[in-house]
Amino acid sequence: MERRTFVRYIGTLGTVALLMPDLLACNTAKSKISVNRLGAPLDRGHLLRGNFDFASDYPVEKMEIPAVIIGGGISGLSTGYHLQKKGFTDFLLLELNETVGGNSGFGENRYSKYPLGAHYLSLANPQNRALIDFLKEQGLITKEENGRQYYLEDFLCHAPDERLLFKGVFHEGLVPEYGISPETHAEITRFFDQMKVLKEAKNTDGIDLFNIPISQASINSDLEALDKITFKDYLNDQGYHSEELHWFLDYCCRDDFGAGSDKVSAWAGIHYFAGRKAKPGNTDPTTVLTWSEGNGFLTNILEKSIREQVKTHVLVYSVEELDDHVLVQAIDLKAQKKLHIRAESAVISSPSYVAKHILKSPSWPQSYFEGIHHNPWLIGIVVVDEIPEGNGTPLAWDNVKFGTKGLGYVSDRHQEFGQHRDKHVISVYLALDREDEQTERRKLFQMTDEEMCDLVVSELTSMHPLIEQHIQSISFQRWGHGMVTPYPGALAKYQEYLRLKSHAKRVHLAHTDYSSYSVFEEGFDLGLLAANKLVNHEA
Amino acid sequence: MHYLLLFTIFVISTCGLIYELVAGTLASYLLGDSVTQFSTVIGTYLFAMGIGSYLSKFLRNNLIEHFIRIEVITGVIGGLSSAILFISFGYSGYFRIILYGLVLLTGIFVGLEIPLIMRILKNKVGFRDLVSKVFTFDYIGALIASIAFPIVLVPYLNLTRTSVLFGLFNVGLALYLIYYFRKELKHPTLLFIQASGASLLLIFAFVYAGRINRISETEIYGESIIYATNSKYQRIVLTRDRNAYSLFLNNHLQFNSRDEYRYHEALVHPVLSHCSKPKNILVLGGGDGFAVREILKYPQVQHITLVDLDPKLVSIFSKNELMTKLNQNSLNNPKLKVIHADAFEWLRNTAKDKYDAIIIDFPDPSNYSVGKLYTLSFYKSLQRVMTNRTLAVMQSTSPLYAKESFWCINSTIEASYLQTIPYHTYVPSFGEWGYILFGYDLNELKVRSLPKKLKYYSTEEFKSMKFFPPDMQDHKKVVNRLDNQALIPLFEKEWDSLFD
Ligand SMILES: Cc1cc2nc3c(=O)[nH]c(=O)nc-3n(C[C@H](O)[C@H](O)[C@H](O)COP(=O)(O)OP(=O)(O)OC[C@H]3O[C@@H](n4cnc5c(N)ncnc54)[C@H](O)[C@@H]3O)c2cc1C
């Protein structure tokens, strides 16, 4: 059993996010910037490294409960939220970290909240009833009329939402369209027209080929063929050659999946565009809902509905499916005791690389968990006095530079209602996809503060040459495994999930790793489906 | 000895005259009416010099030391006078007292100088000769100072630096005398330390004087800048053109004292005169106190809450005596409560009361951050403090120069399920200007009360204000929301095209 290595993994991953900063100073060429790392403090990681010796004499508490959810990210929280909505409240949700949220967690400094990962929620597809109802219940959708949703203006991304530094000037929007050749322009138009057609494309059963959540799409052999090649190959095959379009689409892939168009599956690349078909009544369909704390806002809503059932600081290390029950074993790190829980059923809402180690179930063979990829991410949360003004569109929510490998930065205080910012808090996102994921992960965890600082600062100076002197501090959030990265074969993996799932008895998998596409909508949907399964099983 | 004498006289007389000129120029620059300012400043100064010569007889023994000390003190007071006046103009309500106090003080010390010199030299030079030489060089110094002042000094150095420079001359002279008489002095080191400290202070002031007074800005405004400062939120500049004052925030004209009554009467009276019981009033923006001045003309008003972002702006308009004269000291009225907050955030997070009337006087929507105050979401937040009977008004840029912007504001208010009455008036320094009156139900508006003795507004006039000729109409009905801020590009386009 490789449980030891798995635990070490978790320890070093920094998933135990006790947000205790170890303050250091990062000395770059010109200025002194104070830096700190978010995530696991060393002693915590040390405890978890290697084995469970530290817990060997912890008392064991035995419990019996109808259902256990393992992992409190969006998928686990959504499972719980839907269970309690259906009147099923006798369950536990176990989360390793101090707080729930996972990739949709958030932090806060003196000036602002900021997301640790997920920043925004796209507008809901009309078929995504469960999500629309949830947003209505929360007042985020104020009404529906003629099949159109009217969103609460306050949390739609305020204007200007995006700007691209292209040819020395900031332009509104991220598509590089300014001063391009007519051929390029025609290519860009053709691409978006093609996506429009694919949005409407249906399988023989009348169901959309592309849809979010993916459970509402119908897969055919055309999609399976697309899943065998990379998005970049697909684009070349289709005769798209312009630098501008290629850069833009590569940027989209890195932004949404953590790897470039030369790495991700063509199915995923198209899915990103063709899967979105929101029909809002009062805003642009491509806009998003966002908050200072990013999707931490949604995490909080979901958590609030099941506060009684959530237990944090609990490391689940074994889930065993037996004939008439599931045995869940865990360590309560705060109360310093072991938990042996006998449950009717369990929902695994932790990622595949965790599930692989903790789960023993006849329905879910080990081999299934291989071949699910996660590229690492580095996020720098930067406090700056001032963002030097560039030419063109002023500071937007999302700020990107054309032609680079970086993803630019998001302004975390953009959604505030007041006019004045004493300090700016911005999140610089870096998807580490140059080499294979293991190498990148190792590099990330060996990086010194200076190296991380240089990466983040150089990303910013490439857009604002004079910004360095204004930087006050940087907090680093490192994700060893970011969201699932859909390499070619990702759709096949999802199909495998569907097959295995149909035979699952007591253990269900609800985590965005298993839908091959990690966004809020998928986590929310997986949670809903798992909750349905549990309730039907009980009944 | 002889040359030293002449040199000393020359320096002190030039410096003395320069301080007098600086004070006179500054007073007329800031307060206007230069004949009055110059004659009162010069009168005070001459009188103070008289006091100085009278006092000189009380100084005995160690005359040289006394003289050196007087040079140092004159240098510091005279040298810093201009800086002190510029700064106190913005921050204090006692500008005139400080002005004449400084003039008096400088005058007294300058007045001490010549009699003292004469007494020092009495035994060394024949009296006749002495008197004639002293006065010759005194007059030569004065002549040179008065010619250099307007031609070289003010244009190249500005007022603050000029006075600091001459302060340095005074102190420099003191240093030279310490050196020259080092054997005869009792405490040469102490004096030296004092004089060097003073010169360091002045050198420091000379370097930083540029921040205090930016004559260069005069070119932008085409008028004299009497006060300029950066608050945390904006650049505040007050200018004077003869007897009229203007306020610029971030280079946008906010008012001109010559015609602001038109703007503010038209802003306040349509709402207040139609309001059935105007007791509790809210003002958003309007830190200049002019809207409050108009509101206070209604005796029924019991409470006024003013929410303005910028404490510095409010402080200028509640302390500076020129400004409190213009706004009739409205910001110090006991009925008024001032809250320093962002209006939008205050409405969302803090506001609890309901108000009978709401007056909104924000800057024009010229960028995305001010633009938030003109969005649908803002009007929805505003509704939290409105009752069915509340009447509100918002300044809404020019329906002539920016008609699409004006009507966009109107459509946005309507889209928040409020009724509107758009109207406009002519304010010479702004041109044709627009306002939007709004409330839940405007169908049965009646005039309830109107203060007498308004300069401009009347119920009759209001009727014509509501009429929009074709060149001020637009029917596009664009709604400005946080997520599109459609107003900003419209506003930019329209105002830019005006200057093309
Ligand atoms: C950098 C980044 C940016 C993103 N941006 C967006 C975005 O803008 N919009 C968007 O919609 N999506 C975004 N995502 C995708 C995001 O992953 C999903 O939106 C969603 O948060 C995934 O939730 P989940 O529950 O499936 O997974 P996770 O967030 O991975 O949750 C898994 C949870 O299980 C816990 N856990 C793991 N092992 C154990 C164990 N042994 N015992 C107990 N608990 C355990 C973990 O601590 C974690 O809380 C982003 C992801 C990343 C990494």
Side-chain angles (χ1 to χ4, degrees):
Chain A
M1 186 76 215
E2 303 144 41
R3 203 162 279 158
R4 290 162 171 239
T5 31
F6 140 67
V7 175
R8 173 167 25 182
Y9 233 9
I10 291 192
T12 45
L13 278 184
T15 42
V16 187
L18 271 185
L19 306 174
M20 276 244 300
D22 46 339
L23 276 168
L24 286 161
C26 137
N27 241 324
T28 52
K30 279 160 258 145
S31 57
K32 252 194 180 301
I33 298 167
S34 89
V35 299
N36 69 312
R37 296 174 179 209
L38 306 172
L42 290 174
D43 56 341
R44 203 43 168 316
H46 192 73
L47 263 185
L48 287 169
R49 195 166 303 145
N51 54 44
F52 303 121
D53 283 353
F54 70 90
S56 57
D57 51 1
Y58 282 6
V60 176
E61 184 179 321
K62 295 198 170 178
M63 306 193 234
E64 256 180 64
I65 193 149
V68 179
I69 302 165
I70 295 121
I74 295 300
S75 306
L77 291 171
S78 163
T79 310
Y81 166 85
H82 285 108
L83 282 177
Q84 76 53 51
K85 271 219 98 126
K86 293 171 206 289
F88 185 112
T89 53
D90 208 3
F91 65 90
L92 270 184
L93 186 154
L94 306 179
E95 165 59 47
L96 170 64
N97 285 338
E98 195 186 15
T99 52
V100 293
N103 291 348
S104 294
F106 67 96
E108 188 165 7
N109 59 26
R110 263 180 65 194
Y111 310 103
S112 171
K113 294 178 184 169
Y114 52 81
L116 295 173
H119 236 116
Y120 65 90
L121 169 63
S122 305
L123 303 189
N125 281 0
Q127 288 167 32
N128 196 353
R129 279 316 315 171
L131 181 60
I132 292 172
D133 290 342
F134 169 72
L135 296 175
K136 270 166 97 170
E137 173 193 284
Q138 298 302 325
L140 298 174
I141 290 178
T142 52
K143 64 170 181 184
E144 277 190 279
E145 244 171 51
N146 306 323
R148 290 186 180 271
Q149 291 74 40
Y150 288 74
Y151 284 84
L152 181 69
E153 177 190 351
D154 299 8
F155 302 132
L156 290 172
C157 185
H158 299 175
D161 55 351
E162 301 162 329
R163 60 172 182 169
L164 178 69
L165 181 56
F166 181 46
K167 308 195 173 175
V169 178
F170 281 104
H171 299 277
E172 226 176 316
L174 294 183
V175 186
E177 287 176 304
Y178 165 81
I180 52 176
S181 69
E183 295 79 44
T184 303
H185 185 79
E187 245 186 38
I188 293 177
T189 315
R190 178 159 71 88
F191 176 81
F192 282 105
D193 285 347
Q194 194 179 355
M195 291 303 119
K196 229 181 264 164
V197 173
L198 290 173
K199 269 183 206 198
E200 303 304 323
K202 304 220 174 348
N203 201 345
T204 45
D205 55 10
I207 296 175
D208 290 7
L209 288 179
F210 297 95
N211 211 348
I212 295 175
I214 192 175
S215 68
Q216 290 175 353
S218 177
I219 299 162
N220 70 5
S221 55
D222 292 347
L223 298 197
E224 287 165 359
L226 285 171
D227 187 42
K228 294 201 170 74
I229 57 171
T230 67
F231 190 35
K232 190 172 177 110
D233 288 340
Y234 167 80
L235 293 171
N236 287 330
D237 288 352
Q238 297 286 311
Y240 296 112
H241 298 295
S242 87
E243 186 201 342
E244 287 85 355
L245 182 64
H246 269 269
W247 174 83
F248 172 70
L249 297 175
D250 183 60
Y251 161 81
C252 292
C253 290
R254 281 179 290 120
D255 192 46
D256 235 40
F257 307 128
S261 59
D262 57 337
K263 303 226 169 58
V264 307
S265 149
W267 160 76
I270 299 169
H271 185 68
Y272 175 99
F273 292 98
R276 299 222 166 273
K277 16 200 139 180
K279 283 205 167 62
N282 62 336
T283 188
D284 186 272
T286 60
T287 193
V288 298
L289 289 160
T290 184
W291 303 264
S292 275
E293 67 271 41
N295 288 3
F297 181 90
L298 301 167
T299 296
N300 276 347
I301 294 178
L302 292 173
E303 187 201 4
K304 217 178 278 165
S305 69
I306 50 168
R307 195 150 277 162
E308 304 271 282
Q309 288 86 354
V310 170
K311 256 172 121 52
T312 57
H313 272 305
V314 179
L315 165 68
V316 175
Y317 63 88
S318 166
V319 178
E320 217 172 322
E321 179 171 2
L322 303 162
D323 276 350
D324 60 343
H325 72 279
V326 183
L327 177 63
V328 177
Q329 299 186 56
I331 302 171
D332 184 330
L333 297 165
K334 209 159 51 192
Q336 308 210 328
K337 60 186 181 191
K338 286 184 182 162
L339 304 175
H340 288 181
I341 308 169
R342 192 188 157 101
E344 297 287 315
S345 32
V347 177
I348 306 274
S349 289
S350 39
S352 61
Y353 54 93
V354 172
K356 177 166 92 179
H357 294 288
I358 64 175
L359 180 60
K360 251 197 227 156
S361 155
S363 326
W364 302 98
Q366 285 278 309
S367 61
Y368 163 66
F369 297 102
E370 305 293 340
I372 298 178
H373 303 277
H374 303 81
N375 271 26
W377 286 71
L378 173 63
I379 299 169
I381 296 107
V382 186
V383 177
V384 270
D385 310 326
E386 195 186 315
I387 299 175
E389 247 178 63
N391 296 322
T393 306
L395 181 67
W397 172 67
D398 193 8
N399 306 271
V400 182
K401 182 178 181 188
F402 174 79
T404 59
K405 271 286 195 179
L407 296 173
Y409 64 91
V410 169
S411 167
D412 293 314
R413 303 187 68 181
H414 186 79
Q415 293 294 91
E416 286 179 13
F417 295 87
Q419 295 178 54
H420 180 72
R421 313 267 172 278
D422 46 353
K423 292 276 187 299
H424 289 277
V425 179
I426 59 183
S427 294
V428 176
Y429 282 72
L430 297 159
L432 307 172
D433 76 328
R434 250 162 239 240
E435 293 177 66
D436 66 278
E437 69 176 282
Q438 282 80 11
T439 314
E440 289 289 349
R441 198 149 34 235
R442 205 177 47 244
K443 273 173 29 189
L444 175 63
F445 283 106
Q446 284 167 356
M447 256 183 228
T448 62
D449 288 322
E450 281 74 20
E451 287 166 329
M452 290 195 285
C453 196
D454 282 347
L455 273 182
V456 169
V457 172
S458 64
E459 173 72 11
L460 284 176
T461 27
S462 76
M463 296 168 78
H464 306 285
L466 297 177
I467 199 168
E468 187 166 338
Q469 68 204 73
H470 298 291
I471 300 180
Q472 206 175 52
S473 66
I474 309 181
S475 306
F476 301 108
Q477 170 70 28
R478 296 168 300 165
W479 294 107
H481 295 77
M483 72 280 268
V484 58
T485 311
Y487 284 79
L491 183 62
K493 208 75 215 168
Y494 173 65
Q495 289 174 300
E496 188 181 346
Y497 170 71
L498 289 182
R499 275 196 303 280
L500 295 171
K501 184 175 133 162
S502 62
H503 303 297
K505 292 193 190 71
R506 294 181 179 277
V507 174
H508 309 285
L509 264 52
H511 182 276
T512 49
D513 277 5
Y514 313 118
S515 62
S516 291
Y517 184 31
S518 191
V519 277
F520 181 88
E521 299 91 307
E522 294 295 347
F524 189 80
D525 183 60
L526 288 161
L528 168 69
L529 298 178
N532 284 343
K533 276 254 184 180
L534 288 199
V535 174
N536 292 341
H537 183 257
E538 287 293 306
Chain B
M1 185 69 214
H2 219 71
Y3 288 109
L4 176 63
L5 165 73
L6 302 184
F7 176 67
T8 307
I9 307 276
F10 178 74
V11 171
I12 57 178
S13 68
T14 333
C15 291
L17 193 76
I18 290 286
Y19 301 143
E20 186 182 329
L21 290 173
V22 163
T25 313
L26 216 139
S28 34
Y29 182 61
L30 296 174
L31 303 171
D33 191 2
S34 56
V35 175
T36 317
Q37 306 310 342
F38 260 103
S39 65
T40 49
V41 165
I42 292 175
T44 315
Y45 196 78
L46 289 175
F47 173 65
M49 281 174 70
I51 302 180
S53 3
Y54 171 75
L55 290 178
S56 71
K57 73 173 182 187
F58 296 105
L59 294 177
R60 305 220 171 96
N61 307 331
N62 303 327
L63 289 184
I64 295 181
E65 265 183 40
H66 283 309
F67 183 77
I68 291 173
R69 232 171 241 133
I70 287 169
E71 282 315 290
V72 175
I73 297 173
T74 317
V76 171
I77 299 179
L80 296 181
S81 59
S82 161
I84 294 171
L85 289 173
F86 263 118
I87 293 169
S88 65
F89 183 74
Y91 290 94
S92 137
Y94 309 103
F95 177 73
R96 280 195 172 82
I97 295 176
I98 295 174
L99 169 71
Y100 292 112
L102 272 176
V103 170
L104 213 59
L105 216 56
T106 327
I108 290 175
F109 281 103
V110 173
L112 280 167
E113 289 169 336
I114 300 268
L116 217 51
I117 284 253
M118 305 238 277
R119 278 169 59 199
I120 292 172
L121 298 176
K122 200 165 56 191
N123 308 325
K124 306 190 177 166
V125 193
F127 185 71
R128 261 258 224 46
D129 201 22
L130 176 68
V131 174
S132 92
K133 285 221 164 90
V134 166
F135 285 104
T136 311
F137 276 86
D138 188 21
Y139 288 127
I140 293 178
L143 177 70
I144 292 182
S146 57
I147 293 174
F149 185 75
I151 299 178
V152 186
L153 298 172
V154 175
Y156 291 100
L157 280 182
N158 81 35
L159 276 178
T160 311
R161 284 214 168 113
T162 301
S163 56
V164 175
L165 181 69
F166 281 80
L168 273 169
F169 288 160
N170 271 134
V171 179
L173 176 64
L175 279 169
Y176 181 69
L177 293 176
I178 294 170
Y179 172 75
Y180 192 88
F181 291 108
R182 64 191 180 280
K183 301 253 165 56
E184 291 168 47
L185 295 171
K186 261 199 192 151
H187 315 287
T189 335
L190 184 66
L191 279 177
F192 178 73
I193 292 172
Q194 290 168 345
S196 343
S199 43
L200 281 181
L201 179 70
L202 290 170
I203 290 171
F204 184 79
F206 190 81
V207 174
Y208 284 93
R211 300 213 180 152
I212 300 168
N213 168 18
R214 290 235 201 120
I215 298 282
S216 61
E217 274 175 309
T218 310
E219 286 157 29
I220 310 175
Y221 299 100
E223 294 164 17
S224 2
I225 293 181
I226 56 175
Y227 180 64
T229 185
N230 285 317
S231 76
K232 217 169 133 193
Y233 307 99
Q234 54 203 343
R235 177 144 185 85
I236 303 170
V237 174
L238 269 171
T239 66
R240 189 184 58 72
D241 180 18
R242 267 157 285 163
N243 290 321
Y245 296 88
S246 300
L247 171 73
F248 293 83
L249 298 180
N250 292 336
N251 301 338
H252 292 287
L253 177 63
Q254 301 301 305
F255 72 80
N256 179 307
S257 61
R258 217 175 271 133
D259 57 21
E260 58 77 18
Y261 68 91
R262 272 188 163 241
Y263 175 88
H264 290 104
E265 286 187 6
L267 175 70
V268 170
H269 296 296
V271 158
L272 261 80
S273 67
H274 289 98
C275 191
S276 55
K277 286 195 194 89
K279 281 193 188 145
N280 197 13
I281 318 292
L282 176 64
V283 183
L284 302 178
D288 54 23
F290 291 118
V292 177
R293 176 193 68 200
E294 294 304 314
I295 295 167
L296 285 168
K297 293 181 180 165
Y298 294 77
Q300 313 93 295
V301 169
Q302 292 171 355
H303 305 286
I304 306 173
T305 305
L306 174 93
V307 182
D308 196 291
L309 189 60
D310 196 345
K312 211 162 181 179
L313 182 79
V314 174
S315 135
I316 295 171
F317 281 89
S318 49
K319 297 215 181 96
N320 179 289
E321 51 189 47
L322 289 171
M323 298 305 130
T324 52
K325 206 155 111 194
L326 292 179
N327 65 24
Q328 294 171 6
N329 206 15
S330 62
L331 293 179
N332 295 311
N333 192 288
K335 289 179 182 175
L336 178 73
K337 189 170 107 197
V338 179
I339 293 171
H340 295 298
D342 182 278
F344 204 161
E345 283 181 346
W346 180 79
L347 285 171
R348 286 181 61 92
N349 305 328
T350 323
K352 282 193 197 73
D353 287 0
K354 306 268 181 195
Y355 297 89
D356 305 308
I358 303 175
I359 311 290
I360 307 175
D361 194 8
F362 291 142
D364 278 355
S366 58
N367 62 52
Y368 285 100
S369 59
V370 187
K372 294 191 181 193
L373 299 167
Y374 291 81
T375 57
L376 192 56
S377 176
F378 175 80
Y379 300 114
K380 287 188 180 157
S381 298
L382 195 64
Q383 290 170 11
R384 298 178 189 189
V385 300
M386 291 173 70
T387 68
N388 287 339
R389 291 182 305 108
T390 303
L391 293 183
V393 67
M394 186 169 201
Q395 87 83 1
S396 305
T397 193
S398 169
L400 184 63
Y401 312 132
K403 65 178 176 194
E404 290 182 39
S405 309
F406 178 84
W407 291 104
C408 169
I409 300 171
N410 189 60
S411 318
T412 308
I413 299 175
E414 283 178 341
S416 72
Y417 303 105
L418 292 166
Q419 295 183 354
T420 67
I421 299 177
Y423 63 93
H424 62 99
T425 189
Y426 182 70
V427 183
S429 52
F430 286 0
E432 202 60 44
W433 212 256
Y435 309 83
I436 294 162
L437 191 157
F438 57 95
Y440 281 103
D441 184 2
L442 304 179
N443 291 325
E444 280 161 38
L445 272 194
K446 275 201 300 263
V447 178
R448 313 283 177 148
S449 63
L450 187 66
K452 297 196 182 70
K453 290 204 203 143
L454 294 180
K455 285 195 200 156
Y456 163 64
Y457 181 83
S458 67
T459 307
E460 275 309 295
E461 185 68 22
F462 187 51
K463 286 196 186 114
S464 65
M465 288 182 181
K466 289 185 280 193
F467 175 75
F468 283 83
D471 65 348
M472 288 194 228
Q473 287 180 21
D474 182 75
H475 303 285
K476 283 196 205 60
K477 297 227 177 275
V478 180
V479 174
N480 186 42
R481 298 184 318 259
L482 280 171
D483 57 302
N484 70 0
Q485 290 231 21
L487 177 60
I488 305 303
L490 280 184
F491 184 87
E492 268 178 7
K493 184 191 74 185
E494 292 185 307
W495 282 96
D496 282 355
S497 73
L498 209 63
F499 297 109
D500 279 350

